[in-house]
Amino acid sequence: MPNWLLPENIADVLPSEARKIEELRRLIIDNFHLYGYELVMPPMLEYLESLLAGAGQDMDLRTFKLIDQLSGRTLGVRADMTTQVARIDAHLLNRASITRLCYCGSVLQTRPNGLHATREPLQIGAEVYGHGGLEADAEVQELALASLALAGFTQVRLDLCHVGVLRAIIASDIQAQKDENALYTFLRAKDVPALQEMTLTYGADTRRALLALPGLYGDVSVIARAREILPTLPGIDTALDELTALVSLAGEASVTIDLADLGGYQYESGVMFAIYVPGLPNAVARGGRYDHVGEAFGRARPATGFSMDLRELARLLPGAEPKLAIRAPWGREPALRTKIGALRKAGEIVIQSLSGHENDQDEFECDRVLVLEDGNWIIKNLG
């Protein structure tokens, strides 16, 4: 096998694509700062029990594992950064006040999330800790939509769900609680036959409500239908009220409701959302509330946030146009060095030609040249 081959769903990022990704990263991180979010950089490796704290079986299966030669303990390569940032908030910062944190870094996953997805996403996201009210969820939703708008996506669909609906339905049914993980899987897949078979021994009200959930999908009128179809329970009423409030804050986004779309259910604790853009079947951003993850680190804190894959996002954008540059001769003469330094300080791209070689690149287009005339270095247009 050729030694230049990479593993499946792992790829190099070439110059023009890398520039798109990096420009997006800077744009979005700078916008996070405008909202008051502080940047953190968790490590790529952690002890497995810390990395998977509160994350559920699905994250365990997605995590690469290895043995630490220093301690002999099992390490995990992060497949998601959410629990890492929760650990930083709960254990290292340990603030009493509200904390806003953001991050960006590569994660590694044992399997791709989609047909053509990479196993090495570049995850960027933001989290709010310390406030259990809907205001924090609304801020995170706004920030996710604003991030996509900065990337040039104006036609987006916001899909809302709430784990409180399912948990309220099964709260009084012991058998349903035992089957919670299986119910989550069947509901997410909208596997009605499997649900019908599994719920045969449940209470009549519980069964009726569970079988109704896969059909509670569509525009915002779904919330009104859910109030009519589902049992009148405080947990369901609260969840539907919160969804109604977030719909009103969605701005120009098209909004759908899907009460069975429970991606992340195993550690989410409230409102959940996914954002879709034209040209991609998978969600480009996912977020929601996960108040209990911090318990594993000794401090339960209300928490809500979102994340997205910058590599996938950049792939949907048009190719980056070459940057205009100035070609200059190679030389160490003080006057030439001073001129080149001043141009670069002013933000110009100056590429010095190396003797005997032509510049061959996709990223830059030299439309001007630096030449010496009458003892002065001046810029002339090419063509």
Side-chain angles (χ1 to χ4, degrees):
M1 180 180 292
N3 60 8
W4 48 263
L5 284 179
L6 294 175
E8 291 183 53
N9 297 93
I10 298 291
D12 295 305
V13 182
L14 300 182
S16 59
E17 192 73 7
R19 175 157 66 91
K20 281 198 299 181
I21 293 170
E22 176 60 13
E23 288 177 351
L24 268 180
R25 186 195 66 82
R26 294 180 189 179
L27 195 65
I28 293 171
I29 289 289
D30 286 348
N31 192 53
F32 288 168
H33 287 167
L34 297 180
Y35 280 73
Y37 287 74
E38 301 171 274
L39 183 66
V40 293
M41 297 180 179
M44 179 66 74
L45 287 171
E46 289 200 35
Y47 291 122
L48 190 63
E49 55 268 31
S50 172
L51 201 60
L52 299 182
Q57 183 181 7
D58 180 59
M59 190 59 65
D60 186 17
L61 295 173
R62 291 166 60 193
T63 301
F64 279 98
K65 304 170 181 71
L66 63 155
I67 301 299
D68 182 11
Q69 294 190 20
L70 295 181
S71 67
R73 294 174 62 183
T74 303
L75 302 178
V77 182
R78 67 186 182 200
D80 180 84
M81 296 175 72
T82 306
T83 55
Q84 291 187 297
V85 181
R87 174 183 55 75
I88 289 172
D89 169 73
H91 184 66
L92 296 179
L93 295 179
N94 199 27
R95 297 171 180 168
S97 61
I98 292 173
T99 301
R100 292 175 170 89
L101 300 178
C102 62
Y103 55 89
C104 183
S106 291
V107 298
L108 192 64
Q109 299 172 350
T110 55
R111 292 182 178 275
N113 285 327
L115 184 61
H116 300 293
T118 177
R119 289 195 288 165
E120 189 189 4
L122 181 59
Q123 187 179 8
I124 189 168
E127 319 289 332
V128 181
Y129 300 96
H131 185 70
L134 198 62
E135 297 89 348
D137 298 280
E139 179 174 299
V140 164
Q141 176 181 297
E142 176 187 332
L143 193 56
L145 292 170
S147 299
L148 290 170
L150 284 172
F153 295 98
T154 54
Q155 292 184 323
V156 301
R157 175 168 63 84
L158 176 67
D159 194 56
L160 292 170
C161 185
H162 201 300
V163 301
V165 174
L166 175 59
R167 289 183 178 155
I169 290 171
I170 68 175
S172 60
D173 193 309
I174 295 175
Q175 184 57 48
Q177 291 176 40
K178 291 179 180 178
D179 295 336
E180 184 175 2
N181 287 336
L183 288 171
Y184 146 74
T185 301
F186 295 148
L187 284 168
R188 190 178 181 190
K190 292 184 169 51
D191 190 343
V192 175
L195 280 173
Q196 288 174 332
E197 183 176 348
M198 172 160 282
T199 58
L200 284 172
T201 59
Y202 296 0
D205 290 343
T206 302
R207 186 170 194 260
R208 189 180 308 110
L210 289 173
L211 293 178
L213 286 182
L216 289 172
Y217 167 77
D219 61 26
V220 295
S221 66
V222 166
I223 296 176
R225 284 201 291 125
R227 293 188 192 276
E228 296 173 359
I229 296 171
L230 298 179
T232 303
L233 298 170
I236 292 178
D237 290 342
T238 298
L240 296 178
D241 288 345
E242 290 184 356
L243 291 175
T244 300
L246 289 176
V247 167
S248 68
L249 298 171
E252 299 297 318
S254 170
V255 180
T256 55
I257 307 294
D258 188 350
L259 296 186
D261 184 13
L262 297 168
Y265 174 83
Q266 291 171 308
Y267 69 89
E268 299 282 5
S269 61
V271 172
M272 302 161 58
F273 67 82
I275 305 178
Y276 298 84
V277 299
L280 189 69
N282 304 317
V284 294
R286 284 193 177 272
R289 181 162 288 280
Y290 56 102
D291 291 343
H292 307 299
V293 172
E295 288 179 1
F297 306 112
R299 188 174 181 233
R301 287 258 278 174
T304 184
F306 85 97
S307 67
M308 54 189 178
D309 176 12
L310 279 185
R311 290 180 67 169
E312 190 166 64
L313 202 61
R315 187 167 56 84
L316 299 174
L317 299 176
E321 293 293 326
K323 293 278 190 179
L324 297 180
I326 299 169
R327 187 170 68 234
W330 174 256
R332 305 301 297 176
E333 297 88 345
L336 175 60
R337 301 301 302 164
T338 298
K339 181 66 174 180
I340 291 173
L343 288 169
R344 287 173 175 162
K345 189 174 182 180
E348 293 282 3
I349 299 168
V350 183
I351 302 172
Q352 287 189 273
S353 298
L354 302 181
S355 178
H357 295 277
E358 293 292 330
N359 290 312
D360 186 9
Q361 55 213 3
D362 299 324
E363 275 294 275
F364 309 107
E365 179 183 340
C366 292
D367 65 335
R368 290 154 294 164
V369 63
L370 193 61
V371 297
L372 182 63
E373 286 191 0
D374 300 326
N376 295 313
W377 289 100
I378 62 171
I379 298 172
K380 284 192 170 184
N381 292 329
L382 289 172

